[in-house]
Amino acid sequence: MGRPREFCPDQALGQALQVFWRQGYEGASMSDLTEAMGITRPSLYAAFGNKEELFRKALDRYESHVMGFMAEAMRRQPAREAVAGLLYGFADAQSGQDTPAGCLGVNGALACSEASEPVRQELARRRGAVEAQLAERLRAAPSEELPPGAEPEDLARYVMALAQGMAVQAKSGAGREALRRVVATALQAWPERVAAA
């Protein structure tokens, strides 16, 4: 019979998430991770697999706990309100008082060497999935809810580029109020009267 684990895997994963969020994938050493998680390397490997598997589990936790606002935002009506909900949600998630600055997905990908190509591809895949989901939401909206001449795919790409840019700004020290002003400025290009037409 195996010895019972002497740590809480959920708490340990939460600590690993914080390290990856602050330091990125490559910047987080195994020593940083095991120290923050309060476990030994053998315990980490036994519970979570290797570093890449741990990072993927941390990403899953990040998406469910930190980015949970996205599902509700996508349901908002009209389309402009869905985009506003997403952008303000990103701004708030990237500038929390009790969490690292920026976005785990962006922080994790900014400095990925060739050896970490699978991680970079996974992060790109996840970002692409969110962009595709937003494009689908915008395609489902009546055309009068979108800015004149706007294509749903282009709007989705713009929103994601803005979110990623805010993540870089947050990591560089921009606070919540500054990020929310960026969102408000971006939304000026999507007049409310269009949404209400």
Side-chain angles (χ1 to χ4, degrees):
M1 189 168 81
R3 290 175 53 196
R5 288 191 177 130
E6 297 175 358
F7 67 95
C8 172
D10 191 59
Q11 283 183 340
L13 182 59
Q15 293 305 314
L17 166 57
Q18 297 292 312
V19 173
F20 284 130
W21 195 344
R22 276 194 309 275
Q23 298 173 214
Y25 176 74
E26 289 201 341
S29 70
M30 289 300 285
S31 296
D32 294 333
L33 291 163
T34 54
E35 183 179 342
M37 297 166 79
I39 62 176
T40 63
R41 283 191 190 209
S43 294
L44 186 153
Y45 293 133
F48 301 104
N50 61 24
K51 181 182 174 183
E52 184 179 325
E53 291 173 56
L54 174 62
F55 184 68
R56 289 173 191 266
K57 290 180 170 102
L59 274 173
D60 291 340
R61 182 183 173 106
Y62 177 80
E63 288 178 356
S64 64
H65 286 64
V66 179
M67 307 305 281
F69 66 87
M70 291 196 302
E72 189 278 328
M74 293 277 193
R75 290 191 292 269
R76 291 172 70 173
Q77 299 290 341
R80 184 183 188 275
E81 286 305 306
V83 168
L86 280 177
L87 288 174
Y88 281 118
F90 283 128
D92 292 348
Q94 294 164 1
S95 60
Q97 289 186 340
D98 301 320
T99 56
C103 166
L104 174 62
V106 174
N107 293 356
L110 284 179
C112 272
S113 68
E114 220 172 276
S116 300
E117 181 63 13
V119 168
R120 191 196 65 74
Q121 288 179 0
E122 175 68 10
L123 291 168
R125 183 192 67 75
R126 291 183 188 225
R127 285 193 304 272
V130 174
E131 185 177 310
Q133 185 182 2
L134 177 57
E136 183 179 341
R137 164 68 182 86
L138 295 174
R139 277 195 300 273
S143 60
E144 62 268 18
E145 288 186 11
L146 305 182
E151 293 293 330
E153 290 77 11
D154 294 337
L155 277 175
R157 192 171 301 112
Y158 167 73
V159 169
M160 294 307 296
L162 188 60
Q164 291 160 26
M166 288 193 302
V168 173
Q169 287 198 338
K171 185 70 174 169
S172 301
R176 177 167 294 179
E177 195 50 46
L179 297 182
R180 284 182 147 259
R181 285 199 300 272
V182 169
V183 174
T185 300
L187 289 172
Q188 288 176 5
W190 192 328
E192 289 188 57
R193 59 182 168 72
V194 172

